[in-house]
Amino acid sequence: MRSPATVTAVVLLALAAAALPARAADGPGEAGNPPRGLFLTVSGSDSTWIRGVLLQCAPGPSGPHPAASDACAALEKAKGDFDKLPGNARACTKQYEPVTVSAAGSWGGLRTAWRKTYPNACVLETATGPVFRF
């Protein structure tokens, strides 16, 4: 039986490999630039499950993120600071089912790496709004 860490590593490697052709298409002289867009992940307690999606906001919202326009608008409002996302205020239960989210890539031409664990999906939604809604 595989450990959750092994499964997580395999999933992340597969997702990274899928993103490589997009980086290779950057063209000559652009190798030093940060990758375009943000790779967002959401995972359950002890990495029992994980999902990820690419969000691209420049020059306009695009990518497979199902709420790309809303997510980009929220990031714009927070000036790319994930700790200042507007979120969606609502009451949540105190049930503890932790979810961990991360963002890696670039925002506004700068490299970005951010990670945070929330006590449950409701608290995640109230804190981050549409950004991790996928």
Side-chain angles (χ1 to χ4, degrees), residues 11-58:
V11 169
L12 290 175
L13 285 172
L15 292 170
L20 285 178
R23 292 282 324 263
D26 283 345
E30 296 183 26
N33 289 340
R36 293 183 185 141
L38 294 165
F39 184 68
L40 308 172
T41 64
V42 179
S43 63
S45 178
D46 296 325
S47 298
T48 52
W49 56 269
I50 187 168
R51 61 183 179 257
V53 70
L54 180 65
L55 173 66
Q56 295 173 302
C57 295

Side-chain angles (χ1 to χ4, degrees), residues 28-130:
E30 296 183 26
N33 289 340
R36 293 183 185 141
L38 294 165
F39 184 68
L40 308 172
T41 64
V42 179
S43 63
S45 178
D46 296 325
S47 298
T48 52
W49 56 269
I50 187 168
R51 61 183 179 257
V53 70
L54 180 65
L55 173 66
Q56 295 173 302
C57 295
S62 65
H65 192 293
S69 293
D70 293 338
C72 290
L75 279 164
E76 185 67 36
K77 187 171 184 176
K79 295 181 173 56
D81 185 342
F82 285 85
D83 290 316
K84 294 182 180 175
L85 288 169
N88 295 323
R90 68 179 200 190
C92 293
T93 65
K94 292 185 180 185
Q95 183 175 358
Y96 187 70
E97 290 181 359
V99 290
T100 300
V101 294
S102 69
S106 69
W107 172 261
L110 301 174
R111 287 199 180 275
T112 300
W114 180 84
R115 179 183 167 105
K116 190 166 185 175
T117 299
Y118 294 90
N120 60 50
C122 179
V123 175
L124 166 65
E125 171 74 16
T126 63
T128 65

